[in-house]
Amino acid sequence: MAKNRASLLALAIVALLCAGSALTIVSIPAASQSSTDEAMKDYEETIKKGDAYFEAGNYSEAVLSYERARRVAYNNKLRTDSAALEKKLARARDAHAGKVPGTSTPAPITYFELTAKLADGPRVVTSRTVPQGDAHQFGPENPRARWNVTNPYLPVDRNFFASIPKMACAADGTLYLAADSIVPAAQMKREPRANHDYYADNGSGVWRVAPDGQVTVFGVRPYGNQVGWGDEKGKCNVRAADAGIRIADWRGMLVDPNGDIIFSDHNLHMILKLRKDGLVDQVAGGGPQACKYDRWKPPQQAGYQDGPAKQALFSGPQALAYDRDGSLLVADIGNCALRRLDAAGNVTTVHKGCLFDPNIHGDPANKIVYGFVAVDPEGLPVVGGTLNVPGVNAFSNLYRFHPDGKVERLLEGRLLPSKPTQQRLGWITDLRYIDGKLVISEGVEEFSVLHEVRGGRLSKYLGVGIEHQDDWADADGPASTTNVLGSAGFCRSADGTLFLLPYHNRHAVRKVDPKTKIVSTWVY
C-alpha cells in the first residue's frame, strides 16, 4: 500500500511540473544529506588542524590546512563563516612570511631534542619489552634479538628517527645523521601525520649526536619544504629551513675540517654544503645557473664537464672522500668517472671508464661501479660498488687507480657464485680504510657483516654472517659474535669508535667501543 502511495505522489509531482504549475518541490535524497554532513565534518576537522599547527608555530602546515578547508567548503557548497576562515588564513600567511602580529620577527619553529638524561647505565631492549603492533612498530623483531642501549638520552619505548639515510663521523667523536625525526604527537602538540596517528614530524635534515649521547639540531627544516611544496625557496644559497633538498637523495656525506657537512645530491647532480650557521651552499656541479631558483624549470644540469667547481657538471654523484692533499674525491657514477675537486676550486678527472678489460667488453663481472671511494695508506684512490642485473646476478668489484694509469682490481664477488672458487659477496654499501686495512660493509640482510679485503678475498672484520632468514636477530655483544642486520654503511671517529648505519629504518645505529670491542645500540 505504501509503495502505491509513493508512486501516486511521484506521478502527481510530474503532472504539476509538466502543467507549468508554480508549485516547486525540492527533495534532498538521504545520500546527498549524508555527503553534506561528511563534508562539513571534514571542514571543521581541517580548521581544527590548522589552529593546532598555528598554535605550535608550524605556520606552513597551518596555511595548507586552511587552504584545504576553503576548497572543501567551495567544492561542497557548504554554508560556512568564510570571513573567519579568510582571517585565519591571512594570519597564518603573515606568520609564515615573518609578519606575526605584535612581533617584529617570525615565531621560530622549535624541534624536540634529546638533552635530558634518562638513565645512568645501559638498558636492555627486546621484542618483549617494547610496544608492538600496527599503531607503533619499534624495536627488535625477532624474540631472540637483544639491544643493549648505551645512549643515556634515548627513550627505550619508541623511535626518535623515522629514517636515517646517511651519517658521517667527526674527529671528536660526534656523529652526524641525515635523518627524519619523529616524536609522539602529544609531545609536540602537533597533529599526527604518520604511523596510525601516533607520531608527529619533528624536522628533516642533519642532526648532531654528541659523544655523550645528546641529540640536537644541526640543520633541519620543518615538514612541508619538500620539493614542490609552497615554502621551498631554493636548493642552494638559502637557509636549510627553506632549502628544497631531500636527504633521501643524498649519496655521500662527510664532515669537512671546518665542521660543516658536505653532501652529494644524486638527483640535483650537485655537491652541496650545509654550514654550521644553517645555510646551504653550492660547492660544485649543477652548472653556473644551479642556484637561480625556478620552481617549474629547475636550472640544475647533469653532464660531464671539468673546470671551475660551480661550472662543472656531474651525473648522479655518489660517495665522497678527502685525499691526503685535502682535495675532495667524488664517485661520479653517471659518467663512469672518479672526479677530484682541489683546494683551488677546480674539478678534474682522476679516471674515466667503466670496464677494466676491453677484451671482455660487456661482461658485468668486470664493470667498474663508481658507487664508493676511499683512499689507501699510500694515497691511491679505491673505488667500487655493486652492479645488479635483475634476474641474473649482482656483481661487486673494487679497483685501485695508480698514477701511471694502471687500474688494479682488488676484489671480484658475486651474490650467486657459479663456481666454488668464486668469491660470494652481496651488495657493497660502504668502503673505508681502517688502520691500513680495506674494510667493506655488506648490505644484504642475510649476510650483514663487515669484511676485510685482503689478497682478493674476504675475511670477517666484524659480525657473524647469517645464512638463513630464520637466524635473523639483532644482538649486541662482542664484536666477533654480534649480529648486525642490514649494514648500510659505517664510519669511525679519531678515537677509534666505529659506528654502523642500519640498512632498514627499524634497525638501530650501532656503536663499537674501541677498547672493549663491544657492540651496543647507540641511536634509533
Side-chain angles (χ1 to χ4, degrees), residues 262-347:
I262 308 294
F263 62 93
S264 61
D265 190 307
H266 87 108
N267 185 54
L268 300 177
H269 312 289
M270 296 177 68
I271 312 302
L272 298 165
K273 176 190 292 186
L274 176 54
R275 298 181 348 199
K276 296 188 295 292
D277 60 7
L279 291 178
V280 178
D281 283 347
Q282 177 190 17
V283 175
Q289 306 298 318
C291 291
K292 292 188 176 181
Y293 184 65
D294 187 323
R295 182 181 306 281
W296 310 116
K297 298 178 181 179
Q300 296 83 25
Q301 302 175 45
Y304 174 68
Q305 179 176 308
D306 286 339
K310 295 184 179 181
Q311 297 179 18
L313 296 178
F314 298 86
S315 180
Q318 303 288 299
L320 308 171
Y322 281 116
D323 66 13
R324 294 197 300 189
D325 296 330
S327 296
L328 182 67
L329 297 178
V330 181
D332 189 1
I333 194 168
N335 287 313
C336 286
L338 178 63
R339 318 285 291 282
R340 175 187 283 118
L341 172 61
D342 61 28
N346 292 308
V347 174

Side-chain angles (χ1 to χ4, degrees), residues 143-337:
R144 293 179 288 104
R146 185 178 184 273
W147 290 1
N148 189 36
V149 181
T150 52
N151 187 330
Y153 295 89
L154 286 183
V156 293
D157 63 341
R158 64 178 185 269
N159 298 71
F160 185 73
F161 295 114
S163 63
I164 310 174
K166 283 294 173 184
M167 72 176 183
C169 289
D172 65 357
T174 301
L175 181 66
Y176 292 87
L177 302 176
D180 295 316
S181 176
I182 51 175
V183 295
Q187 194 169 18
M188 286 301 293
K189 296 181 180 180
R190 294 181 183 173
E191 288 292 322
R193 296 187 58 94
N195 207 352
H196 295 267
D197 292 345
Y198 182 83
Y199 285 125
D201 294 281
N202 186 41
S204 177
V206 175
W207 295 77
R208 180 194 298 109
V209 185
D212 71 343
Q214 291 192 59
V215 182
T216 54
V217 168
F218 179 81
V220 303
R221 57 164 172 74
Y223 185 89
N225 286 29
Q226 298 95 322
V227 176
W229 283 61
D231 42 3
E232 172 194 345
K233 293 183 174 61
K235 312 294 185 183
C236 44
N237 297 340
V238 294
R239 296 184 311 135
D242 300 320
I245 52 177
R246 299 194 318 152
I247 58 175
D249 292 333
W250 297 9
R251 293 297 180 267
M253 175 178 170
L254 49 76
V255 185
D256 76 2
N258 296 320
D260 299 323
I261 301 299
I262 308 294
F263 62 93
S264 61
D265 190 307
H266 87 108
N267 185 54
L268 300 177
H269 312 289
M270 296 177 68
I271 312 302
L272 298 165
K273 176 190 292 186
L274 176 54
R275 298 181 348 199
K276 296 188 295 292
D277 60 7
L279 291 178
V280 178
D281 283 347
Q282 177 190 17
V283 175
Q289 306 298 318
C291 291
K292 292 188 176 181
Y293 184 65
D294 187 323
R295 182 181 306 281
W296 310 116
K297 298 178 181 179
Q300 296 83 25
Q301 302 175 45
Y304 174 68
Q305 179 176 308
D306 286 339
K310 295 184 179 181
Q311 297 179 18
L313 296 178
F314 298 86
S315 180
Q318 303 288 299
L320 308 171
Y322 281 116
D323 66 13
R324 294 197 300 189
D325 296 330
S327 296
L328 182 67
L329 297 178
V330 181
D332 189 1
I333 194 168
N335 287 313
C336 286

Side-chain angles (χ1 to χ4, degrees), residues 80-99:
T80 63
D81 189 345
S82 59
L85 175 57
E86 291 302 316
K87 185 176 180 179
K88 288 177 181 285
L89 180 57
R91 181 184 61 164
R93 284 174 172 167
D94 285 345
H96 185 258
K99 303 175 183 178

Side-chain angles (χ1 to χ4, degrees), residues 7-71:
S7 299
L8 291 172
L9 177 60
L11 290 172
I13 292 172
V14 171
L16 287 170
L17 292 174
C18 292
S21 171
L23 178 62
T24 303
I25 298 177
V26 179
S27 177
I28 301 177
S32 297
Q33 185 61 50
S34 175
S35 177
T36 300
D37 292 343
E38 287 296 321
M40 181 59 74
K41 181 180 179 182
D42 185 13
Y43 172 84
E44 293 172 349
E45 289 179 350
T46 305
I47 292 290
K48 289 180 180 179
K49 286 184 178 181
D51 293 343
Y53 282 129
F54 187 91
E55 182 181 354
N58 194 347
Y59 302 129
S60 61
E61 287 293 337
V63 170
L64 292 175
S65 295
Y66 293 143
E67 287 179 343
R68 182 181 184 280
R70 186 166 62 174
R71 289 195 301 273

